[in-house]
């Protein structure tokens, strides 16, 4: 049996330095896929857009800039509040999303209680599978 940690929140899609629009989103983490986090959001499409990337990237991005390529995350201030920016790039286009740092951090803490850092492999049973393979 696995655990799921989810959080609904409102992101801001940054269109320009002066303009952003609200985007309803859901952060999701599953203990049976402990290295990954998922963000699903509705922009202007009928179906939600899903992004999956390393949980570690989001954990680090709350504190300092990290990532390269398709996903980059960094902390900053917006209108006096702490926020986390996520730059997502795909063949379909690029998006810059702003999330409230306190809500993201609280959700991440819940995921880290379910699967503490360094124990992800135990969740997947990799060590047990290797032991069985090598014993044969």
């Amino acid at each position: 049996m696995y655990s799921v940690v989810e959080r609904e929140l409102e992101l801001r899609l940054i269109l320009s330095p002066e303009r952003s629009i609200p985007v309803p989103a859901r952060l999701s983490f599953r203990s049976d896929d402990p290295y990954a986090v998922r963000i699903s959001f509705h922009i202007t499409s009928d179906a939600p857009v899903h992004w999956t990337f390393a949980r570690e990237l989001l954990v680090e991005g709350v504190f300092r800039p990290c990532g390269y390529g398709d996903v980059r995350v960094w902390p900053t201030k917006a209108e006096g509040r702490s926020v986390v920016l996520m730059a997502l790039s795909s063949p379909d286009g690029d998006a810059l999303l702003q999330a409230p740092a306190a809500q993201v951090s609280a959700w991440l803490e819940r995921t880290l209680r379910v699967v503490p850092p360094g124990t992800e492999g135990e969740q997947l049973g990799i060590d047990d599978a290797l032991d069985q393979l090598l014993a044969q």
Side-chain angles (χ1 to χ4, degrees):
M1 192 66 188
Y2 62 86
S3 300
V4 177
V5 180
E6 291 187 323
R7 169 100 194 221
E8 303 280 337
L9 74 162
E10 186 176 275
L11 303 179
R12 305 284 310 169
L13 176 62
I14 309 296
L15 302 173
S16 74
E18 305 82 33
R19 190 159 172 255
S20 67
I21 58 172
V23 177
R26 174 185 292 131
L27 300 173
S28 184
F29 171 82
R30 291 171 48 138
S31 64
D32 64 338
D33 191 6
Y35 291 103
V37 294
R38 289 173 182 75
I39 301 178
S40 304
F41 44 90
H42 293 269
I43 298 182
T44 54
S45 58
D46 293 334
V49 175
H50 304 284
W51 274 81
T52 302
F53 55 90
R55 174 175 72 163
E56 186 178 317
L57 187 64
L58 195 53
V59 168
E60 187 175 335
V62 168
F63 298 103
R64 65 186 146 275
C66 66
Y68 56 91
D70 294 345
V71 180
R72 292 178 295 121
V73 184
W74 66 97
T76 191
K77 296 268 189 207
E79 297 164 6
R81 296 177 310 126
S82 294
V83 297
V84 177
L85 291 178
M86 293 173 277
L88 308 176
S89 299
S90 78
D92 296 328
D94 301 330
L96 180 59
L97 295 156
Q98 176 183 299
Q103 291 179 18
V104 172
S105 295
W107 175 77
L108 280 170
E109 285 177 23
R110 288 174 48 214
T111 76
L112 294 169
R113 280 197 295 274
V114 171
V115 179
T119 67
E120 295 91 349
E122 296 166 25
Q123 299 295 316
L124 298 174
I126 292 172
D127 292 337
D128 295 338
L130 274 175
D131 289 345
Q132 289 175 3
L133 184 65
L134 295 174
Q136 294 176 358

